[in-house]
Structure formats: C-alpha cells, structure tokens
Amino acid sequence: MLESWADGETRSAIVDFVERVTDEGGPGYVEPAARVAVFDNDGTLWCEKPMPIQLDFTIRRLGDMAERDPSLRSQQPWKAAYENDTHWLGAAMVNHYHGDDADLKLLMGAITRAFDEVTVEEYDARVTSFFGDADHPTLARPYRGCGYKPMVELLRYLEANGFTVYIASGGDRDFMRPIAGELYGVPPERIIGSALGISYRAGDGHTDLLYKAAMDFFDDGPEKPVRIWSRIGRRPILSVGNSNGDLPMLAFSELPGTPALRLLLLHDDAEREFDYVAGAEDVLEHARRNDWTVVSVKNDWNEVFAPDTA
C-alpha cells in the first residue's frame, strides 16, 4: 500500500512500527482504540511554498478589500496582498517559526476582519469555489492536485491497520474541512486546526453561525498538544510534521511504555517540489538527537504528486 515510498530505512521504519503495534500478543501490541495518528497539513500533507495555500486564498480576499478601500493599500498585510508581495507574506510564517510574531499578528488581525460576519456555509462555499479553479503559482498544477501522494498512501495504510487518523494543523480548521475528504479521505470531524470565533444568530425562521472578528485559538506550537487532547482525549502514538511549530505535537506523541513513531518531513527536492529548511531548524536538530525518523522527499518518495492530477 506504500507504492510511492522507496525501499529503504524510512519505509521499513513505518512498516515495522505498524506491524509491531498490530501484532496481537506481541510485546508492542496496541489496542485499535489507542492507535491514534496525527498529521500536520501545510508542508506535511500538501505543499506550503511559496506560501501556504490558505494564505493565497486569504490574500485574494485582502486584495479585494484593498481594491475597494485605497486607505488599506499602505497597511500590512493589505499592502502585500494588493502588490502581490509573496515574499512578505511567506516570511511572516517563517519569522513565526523563529519566534518573531510581529508580522503574523498583523496578518491574523487582517484575517479576522476579512471574514467577520460571514456565515459558516458561505465560507465553505468560498473555499470550495477557490479549490475549483485556483492553480499553484509555480508547480503548474491545480491546488487540489498539490497533496502528497505518499502521504495519502500512508493515511490509507494506517487506516487499514486499525488507526484513526486526525489532521492537526496551524491552518484554519474550516478551510481544510471542505477539501480534506477529497484530497485525503479524512472527514471534517477529524480536522483539528486554528479557528476564528463563531457566534450564533437566530431570526426570521432560520439560524446562522457567523465568524467573528477575533481568533478563537491558533493551533500551533504548544497549542497543538492541547487541542489534540481536547478533541481526542488520547495521546497519539504516531505523528507527522515538518516545521518547528510541530515539535510539541511530535514530542507529545508518545505514551509511556507504548511504541511511538515520529516522522519529520524534510523538503530537499528542488526539482520535483521545493528545497528548504527555514522554519524547521529546531525540529530537525531535535529529531536527529532523539532518533526520530526524517523523511526525505528526494530520497524516500518515488513520486511526490499523483501524476493524473496535473
């Protein structure tokens, strides 16, 4: 079931772990109910360069706002959105992973304004429409074709062996939900992510849930284990990430006395995808010191994207 994974130590580590925890009567056996796996999304299940896909969706909205209101064009991040300054936008996330949240706070403030008073159904429709026709700016493929084929195979392999898989992302929960079923086969109730505040409104014979101009929570860094436990009530035994923001989730994914597998995706293939470590320096060092499994896009994947989605 892992056809896109090259034979070698990484693939063997995955298979050996799964065989160990599913060997009933063996010393590493884990009951199916406790076989919980969590995956980051941006840079782990789909590509995140030159900027996260949700950021592209958001800056289109910010650009529209700046088009209608010229006063916004001198303020970040509307300025970057209006001028299509992808460097500023992408750097905001990298700076966050280095501990500098100044630009990220500007971006988060703008996002809450951008979707204030939008109903959950309207937001879902906007996301669905975006994925219907938006293309990746450099990979010459639609965004809906930017999921990693080997990771989807891994999801299916784990599910076939009794694992329950969750997505735990710093990205917006409700941005992932409309597309995660199609791309990954993961239902909306198993999506854990950041979220805007939501309010309830009733009147005229119908009810609405509307986003508020405020973040409810940002699911990254130390918040990830908190949200995972709040939603699942179990400590995962397998986790997959790619950035410094995933380090707490990866470290949390070990139940004392129970086998654990931590996979860290290393983007090192400029020819087929991207080559970068910015924003992942700390977690890479931690992974090497603690013998976590580092997955090389270049060496461990025979394919990156499904060939029929280009």
Side-chain angles (χ1 to χ4, degrees):
M1 294 184 70
L2 300 175
E3 293 85 357
S4 296
W5 292 77
D7 289 334
E9 292 182 1
T10 299
R11 187 180 188 279
S12 294
I14 295 169
V15 173
D16 291 349
F17 174 78
V18 171
E19 290 180 348
R20 182 181 177 193
V21 301
T22 57
D23 179 16
E24 191 167 2
Y29 179 70
V30 176
E31 293 285 345
R35 292 178 207 159
V36 172
V38 291
F39 285 68
D40 172 56
N41 187 47
D42 293 309
T44 299
L45 290 175
W46 68 25
C47 62
E48 64 177 356
K49 295 296 182 179
M51 59 183 166
I53 296 174
Q54 183 184 348
L55 188 52
D56 190 2
F57 168 76
T58 302
I59 65 173
R60 296 180 190 215
R61 169 64 178 155
L62 299 180
D64 289 343
M65 293 171 71
E67 186 69 38
R68 295 194 304 271
D69 183 355
S71 69
L72 294 173
R73 299 173 192 175
S74 61
Q75 306 174 43
Q76 293 289 23
W78 290 276
K79 182 177 187 293
Y82 186 73
E83 297 174 356
N84 196 29
D85 182 359
T86 58
H87 174 76
W88 187 94
L89 293 158
M93 295 305 301
V94 173
N95 291 341
H96 161 68
Y97 292 133
H98 289 155
D100 179 0
D101 283 341
D103 290 340
L104 184 65
K105 288 179 180 178
L106 293 176
L107 186 58
M108 289 299 185
I111 290 172
T112 59
R113 285 181 58 181
F115 300 107
D116 185 29
E117 293 292 303
V118 173
T119 69
V120 293
E121 289 84 7
E122 182 182 355
Y123 186 80
D124 186 290
R126 291 184 186 185
V127 173
T128 301
S129 175
F130 170 78
F131 278 102
D133 55 25
D135 293 332
H136 189 279
T138 64
L139 292 176
R141 60 176 48 247
Y143 273 137
R144 66 192 322 127
C146 288
Y148 299 134
K149 184 179 181 184
M151 285 302 185
V152 174
E153 291 174 357
L154 178 56
L155 293 172
R156 299 289 83 76
Y157 177 65
L158 293 173
E159 290 171 350
N161 283 278
F163 280 77
T164 303
V165 175
Y166 294 83
I167 297 175
S169 174
D172 176 18
R173 168 195 68 199
D174 291 340
F175 180 77
M176 293 178 282
R177 282 174 168 172
I179 194 68
E182 176 186 334
L183 264 60
Y184 313 135
V186 177
E189 63 269 21
R190 286 199 261 121
I191 306 295
I192 305 168
S194 300
L196 296 173
I198 296 177
S199 62
Y200 173 81
R201 181 177 66 190
D204 298 327
H206 69 277
T207 61
D208 287 311
L209 292 178
L210 301 99
Y211 294 108
K212 298 189 291 187
M215 288 293 297
D216 193 356
F217 49 83
F218 181 42
D219 187 40
D220 198 49
E223 188 70 18
K224 280 198 173 188
V226 173
R227 301 307 307 171
I228 289 168
W229 181 261
S230 297
R231 285 288 306 278
I232 304 173
R234 293 183 183 274
R235 187 185 292 256
I237 64 170
L238 186 152
S239 55
V240 192
N242 80 299
S243 73
N244 293 340
D246 297 319
L247 202 163
M249 176 183 76
L250 294 164
F252 177 68
S253 301
E254 181 175 3
L255 187 65
T258 301
L261 180 66
R262 274 64 69 92
L263 301 176
L264 182 68
L265 185 60
L266 172 63
H267 294 271
D268 58 356
D269 193 332
E271 181 177 345
R272 296 186 299 174
E273 199 232 8
F274 299 98
D275 185 349
Y276 63 96
V277 295
E281 301 91 341
D282 294 345
V283 71
L284 280 167
E285 176 62 24
H286 194 93
R288 288 162 178 152
R289 288 200 314 266
N290 292 276
D291 295 322
W292 294 353
T293 301
V294 177
V295 180
S296 164
V297 172
K298 183 176 182 180
N299 299 319
D300 292 322
W301 287 358
N302 295 325
E303 298 178 76
V304 177
F305 307 109
D308 61 349
T309 60

